[in-house]
Structure formats: structure tokens, C-alpha cells
């Protein structure tokens, strides 16, 4: 399977630099324009479009799908990481409300996370399971996956076979940007 990994277009929470997590805002006008531009930049030959069920990813995928004449398959495993009490807040608000958690950089711990949120490990393993299923079902196809910043980093980590401590080494892809992975094996990412 050949994989294009795209991040959703911009939302108001992105523009305000707030943690979105599992909150479900729609694309804003800029995000819609970004999704339309993404649809034009992607090469022909996509055979499948898969998206997170969160509205911002699904909206972006639907705009691309309309241009490429494909349906969108939603997969729960590609939803954004849950950030619990941090969701909807910007950095300054988190520092003020949860100074001890922010000082510990709790959102970047592999086996811990903000209260009510997912650990990095749990979210990456969820993405791994979804990639396994996607690769098994769509071997030989060219797939566009539209998801989120954390998911894009997880896909990058898994498919480039990087250690967990390298999770934040690569810059996050921007809204409606994509990364390409050639020849994902039918069994999914390497273990």
C-alpha cells in the first residue's frame, strides 16, 4: 500500500493555538480553502480515502474526495489523541490552571497524560492497530489518510521505525499538508 498522510485543514482552535484533541470543531474558511488546495496538490491515482471521524478531518477528506471522485471511509483508530483537561485551552491557560502538569510536560510523557486524556503509548498503539487494518485491507492500493497532527507524528514514527523518544523530533506537518510513504507492507508497520 502506498500512503499519503494528510493533516486536516485549519479550525478556529488551530488559529488560536489551542489543544483540540477530541473536541469536534468544523473547518474555518481558511481550513476549507486549504482542503481545496490539498485536493489540487495530490497526484491522480488515489484509490481510497480514509479519515478520522472527527469533523475537521472528515470535512477535509470530503473536499478531497469530491475532487477525486472517491468515497470517504471513516476509521475510529485515526482520531486525534485525547488531551483531557487540556482540550480547548492554549498554553498560557494550561500553565495558569495546571502549572505542575505543564512544568512536567505531561502531554509528552510516553506512559502518562493529562487527566482524562490518553497516554502517548495508548494513542500510538491505537494508530498502529488502525494502520495494520488499513494495510491488510487495502494492499496494493494508493490511500490518502486524513487525520490529525498527533496521528501524523505517530504514522511517521511507526513507518520510519523510530524509537519513542524521537516522536517530537520531526516537525509537525501543517494544516492540509501531507507526507508520502511508499510500499507499506500488507501486515502494517514494522514491529
Amino acid at each position: 500500500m502506498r500512503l499519503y498522510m494528510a493533516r486536516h485543514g485549519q479550525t478556529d482552535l488551530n488559529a488560536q493555538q489551542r489543544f483540540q484533541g477530541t473536541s469536534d470543531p468544523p473547518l474555518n474558511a481558511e481550513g476549507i480553502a486549504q482542503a481545496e488546495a490539498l485536493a489540487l496538490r495530490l497526484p491522480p491515482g488515489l484509490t481510497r480515502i480514509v479519515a478520522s471521524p472527527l469533523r475537521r478531518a472528515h470535512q477535509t477528506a470530503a473536499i478531497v474526495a469530491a475532487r477525486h471522485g472517491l468515497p470517504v471511509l471513516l476509521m475510529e483508530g485515526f482520531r486525534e489523541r485525547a488531551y483531557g483537561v487540556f482540550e480547548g485551552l492554549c498554553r498560557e491557560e494550561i500553565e495558569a490552571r495546571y502549572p505542575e502538569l505543564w512544568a512536567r510536560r505531561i502531554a509528552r510523557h510516553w506512559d502518562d497524560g493529562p487527566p482524562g486524556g490518553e497516554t502517548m503509548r495508548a494513542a500510538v498503539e491505537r494508530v498502529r492497530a488502525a494502520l495494520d487494518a488499513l494495510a491488510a485491507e487495502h494492499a496494493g492500493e494508493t490511500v490518502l489518510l486524513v487525520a490529525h497532527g498527533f496521528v501524523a507524528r505517530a504514522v511517521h514514527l511507526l513507518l520510519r521505525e523510530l524509537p519513542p523518544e524521537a516522536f517530537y523530533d520531526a516537525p509537525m506537518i501543517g494544516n492540509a499538508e501531507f507526507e508520502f510513504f511508499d510500499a507499506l507492507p500488507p501486515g502494517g508497520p514494522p514491529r
Side-chain angles (χ1 to χ4, degrees), residues 36-104:
E36 290 167 348
L38 172 65
L40 295 173
R41 284 194 321 274
L42 287 163
L46 295 175
T47 57
R48 178 80 50 197
I49 298 177
V50 176
S52 157
L54 293 175
R55 185 175 4 184
R56 57 198 183 265
H58 186 199
Q59 272 186 288
T60 302
I63 290 168
V64 173
R67 171 90 178 154
H68 289 263
L70 294 168
V72 177
L73 170 67
L74 301 180
M75 290 185 69
E76 179 66 25
F78 293 120
R79 69 177 157 69
E80 180 60 289
R81 177 184 176 194
Y83 285 99
V85 297
F86 288 2
E87 290 189 15
L89 303 178
C90 66
R91 176 185 174 175
E92 293 77 18
E93 291 167 335
I94 295 169
E95 284 180 300
R97 292 182 194 180
Y98 307 102
E100 187 269 331
L101 294 175
W102 187 259
R104 287 181 39 219

Side-chain angles (χ1 to χ4, degrees), residues 97-113:
R97 292 182 194 180
Y98 307 102
E100 187 269 331
L101 294 175
W102 187 259
R104 287 181 39 219
R105 300 175 58 92
I106 195 76
R108 290 186 174 222
H109 288 210
W110 194 248
D111 289 308
D112 203 356

Side-chain angles (χ1 to χ4, degrees), residues 89 134 154 170 172:
L89 303 178
L134 189 64
M172 182 172 9

Side-chain angles (χ1 to χ4, degrees), residues 18-19 36 39 55-56 71 100 114-115 126 158 162 170 191:
R18 294 178 179 278
F19 278 74
E36 290 167 348
R55 185 175 4 184
R56 57 198 183 265
E100 187 269 331
R126 174 174 46 80
L158 294 166
L162 301 173
R191 300 246 177 240

